[in-house]
Amino acid sequence: MLKVVKVRLYPNPQQQQSLEQSFGNCRWLWNYCLNLMNLTYKQTGKGLSGYDVKKLIPQLKKEHDWLTLTYSQCLQQACLNLGVAFNNFFEGRTKYPNFKSKHGKQSIQYPQNVKVADDYLTIPKIGNVSATIHRAIEGKVKTVTISKNCSSQYFAAILFDDGKDKPESNRDGKAVGIDLGLTHFAVTSDGSKFDNPLILKLHEKNLKLKQQQLSRKQKGSNNRHKARKKVKRVHRKITNCREDFLHKLSRRIVNENQVIVVENLNVKGMMQNHCLAKAIHQVGWGMFCTMLKYKAEAEGKVYQEVDRFFPSSKTCHVCLNQVGSLPLDVRHWTCGNCKATHDRDINAAINLRDEGLRILTSGTGDKACRPDVSRSSRGRKKSTTTLSVGQEAYSVREASL
């Protein structure tokens, strides 16, 4: 099974200079090949693949001697990654590839010949770079991606194969539904509520002050460059705090449950609401769901998503009665059919759990069909039906809607 461990690197000044040269060469080659692909398509109507532009590297090295300072396989991998980026674009998974800038995050990829020791990495043409390896890397190292963030911190993402088979998913165990929100970051079907840490709000005053200081500095001056670094450090602090919270919460939920059901939220569409865009942006719903998914799959557990249009909040989990309207300011409501009082978020989490179990049991994502239930209550008799979902049996009292 493939795993990735991200470690911190501490290169000396000479190694930093070599890494910066490698970053710049791979970035220049990416931009050169991307421009060549664009021109070729405009002139001939046909594109070039990553393998086509990779053949140009020997000739480019003769024209530009500084390309030889970078490990050859890093240059080749940059061309291949560009071809993968175009394939992802044509298959609708991402946007059109962009030109890379020297500002912001930088990265290069070593497909092989990187050796991992206890406290350092041996990198071709760079040497032994000190590293903090906090987890054991047992298995064959596949690729190593070295990156530098905006705060000039260096990291290495080590992809390795541990030689173990991926565990088969098993549904036997506790199932939980998770309703994501803003007041409470997550509410589970068993009644647990996790507060929103509001990390951006805690650092917002400091961030505002640093940005004001940056705006007063003269463009192109050294003081402006120093002020820009201060702003980046605040953003790095916010990012680290958010990722720490999401990692700990996702790990706790995965450890305690076997089946995890969440709602497939359209975060990008919800960001169009300018009243809630800032609050939605700082919570990190998408990152949280991604963490839940890969952590659950690594342990043989089940991660299931329910359609975003499923009426989880407006449906009573006791009698399945659905109300017509339920504004966001209504946090508690009483079912008009069975007179049960519900907490909006807990009720939604329970409905998500039941719908996820139904999808897993039926093997299809179709909505539940209840032909014997109509919206008119006249002339209808109440009936009791028992549904078996997984290993649990739910007694559902069907009534008219």
Side-chain angles (χ1 to χ4, degrees):
M1 185 170 60
L2 296 177
K3 292 185 177 181
V4 178
V5 173
K6 188 175 183 179
V7 301
R8 177 78 180 273
L9 298 180
Y10 298 93
N12 56 40
Q14 183 179 359
Q15 292 171 344
Q16 290 183 15
Q17 184 178 0
S18 300
L19 287 174
E20 292 293 338
Q21 183 70 41
S22 299
F23 290 147
N25 290 351
C26 292
R27 182 179 64 247
W28 180 88
L29 182 61
W30 171 286
N31 294 338
Y32 177 86
C33 295
L34 178 58
N35 181 62
L36 180 62
M37 288 180 173
N38 294 338
L39 294 178
T40 303
Y41 181 78
K42 291 180 180 179
Q43 296 174 359
T44 64
K46 297 181 180 180
L48 298 175
S49 65
Y51 291 96
D52 295 333
V53 295
K54 188 180 73 169
K55 299 176 183 178
L56 303 176
I57 295 178
Q59 180 62 30
L60 292 175
K61 284 186 176 181
K62 296 178 181 180
E63 299 176 1
H64 308 283
D65 296 337
W66 38 267
L67 283 177
T68 58
L69 300 176
T70 303
Y71 188 51
S72 60
Q73 294 191 11
C74 293
L75 300 175
Q76 297 173 11
Q77 196 63 38
C79 298
L80 297 179
N81 290 340
L82 181 58
V84 173
F86 270 100
N87 291 337
N88 292 334
F89 166 72
F90 290 127
E91 295 178 5
R93 290 190 293 266
T94 184
K95 297 181 179 179
Y96 192 83
N98 293 326
F99 291 97
K100 292 187 176 182
S101 171
K102 65 179 180 180
H103 304 289
K105 183 179 178 179
Q106 309 292 326
S107 65
I108 54 175
Q109 188 173 1
Y110 290 84
Q112 59 183 359
N113 296 332
V114 176
K115 298 180 181 180
V116 181
D118 294 336
D119 56 353
Y120 64 89
L121 268 65
T122 303
I123 304 174
K125 287 197 173 185
I126 303 295
N128 297 334
V129 181
S130 301
T132 301
I133 302 178
H134 57 284
R135 294 186 182 180
I137 301 175
E138 301 175 352
K140 182 180 179 181
V141 177
K142 294 291 186 178
T143 61
V144 175
T145 302
I146 298 179
S147 60
K148 187 190 76 168
N149 61 13
C150 297
S151 300
S152 299
Q153 294 178 333
Y154 295 86
F155 297 90
I158 305 172
L159 174 66
F160 63 98
D161 188 358
D162 59 1
K164 301 178 182 179
D165 295 333
K166 186 177 181 180
E168 296 182 0
S169 59
N170 186 7
R171 300 196 298 265
D172 298 336
K174 181 182 177 182
V176 66
I178 303 175
D179 180 66
L180 301 177
L182 295 177
T183 304
H184 294 92
F185 176 80
V187 178
T188 61
S189 56
D190 54 8
S192 300
K193 294 185 177 182
F194 302 95
D195 292 333
N196 187 354
L198 299 176
I199 297 172
L200 179 60
K201 187 176 181 179
L202 297 176
H203 300 273
E204 194 171 20
K205 184 176 181 180
N206 186 25
L207 180 61
K208 179 181 178 181
L209 177 63
K210 296 297 189 295
Q211 289 176 335
Q212 288 177 343
Q213 294 175 355
L214 174 63
S215 63
R216 297 190 185 103
K217 300 297 185 294
Q218 184 179 358
K219 292 185 178 181
S221 63
N222 290 332
N223 287 334
R224 184 176 181 87
H225 181 66
K226 295 177 183 178
R228 187 183 295 111
K229 285 186 176 181
K230 294 181 180 180
V231 174
K232 292 177 180 179
R233 281 197 290 267
V234 179
H235 281 292
R236 184 191 67 201
K237 179 66 174 179
I238 296 173
T239 302
N240 292 343
C241 293
R242 181 187 296 113
E243 290 182 354
D244 179 73
F245 168 76
L246 297 179
H247 273 297
K248 291 179 178 178
L249 180 57
S250 60
R251 172 50 58 190
R252 174 179 174 179
I253 293 176
V254 171
N255 289 344
E256 295 177 354
N257 303 278
Q258 184 67 26
V259 179
I260 302 171
V261 184
V262 298
E263 188 176 6
N264 181 19
L265 296 174
N266 182 16
V267 180
K268 185 177 180 179
M270 298 171 68
M271 291 284 290
Q272 302 301 320
N273 185 347
H274 299 291
C275 297
L276 300 176
K278 184 178 180 180
I280 294 174
H281 181 267
Q282 68 172 321
V283 292
W285 288 336
M287 184 183 297
F288 178 70
C289 292
T290 301
M291 292 179 180
L292 284 176
K293 184 176 181 180
Y294 78 76
K295 291 178 181 178
E297 291 178 352
E299 297 187 6
K301 300 185 178 183
V302 179
Y303 172 85
Q304 178 65 43
E305 290 186 350
V306 175
D307 187 76
R308 66 191 62 166
F309 296 107
F310 176 72
S312 58
S313 299
K314 298 189 295 183
T315 302
C316 172
H317 72 271
V318 178
C319 65
L320 304 183
N321 178 48
Q322 181 178 338
V323 298
S325 177
L326 194 65
L328 289 176
D329 57 344
V330 179
R331 310 314 301 176
H332 295 81
W333 60 281
T334 302
C335 177
N337 184 43
C338 65
K339 307 304 179 182
T341 302
H342 302 294
D343 181 284
R344 179 194 183 103
D345 298 328
I346 297 178
N347 177 70
I350 295 175
N351 286 326
L352 289 174
R353 180 199 63 187
D354 296 345
E355 177 66 8
L357 291 174
R358 186 197 66 80
I359 294 174
L360 292 173
T361 305
S362 62
T364 176
D366 295 338
K367 296 182 179 179
C369 179
R370 294 183 291 160
D372 56 335
V373 178
S374 65
R375 294 187 178 275
S376 176
S377 59
R378 298 177 181 178
R380 301 289 304 223
K381 294 182 179 181
K382 299 180 180 180
S383 61
T384 303
T385 306
T386 301
L387 302 178
S388 176
V389 181
Q391 294 182 347
E392 302 181 17
Y394 300 93
S395 178
V396 181
R397 184 177 180 81
E398 294 188 353
S400 57
L401 299 179

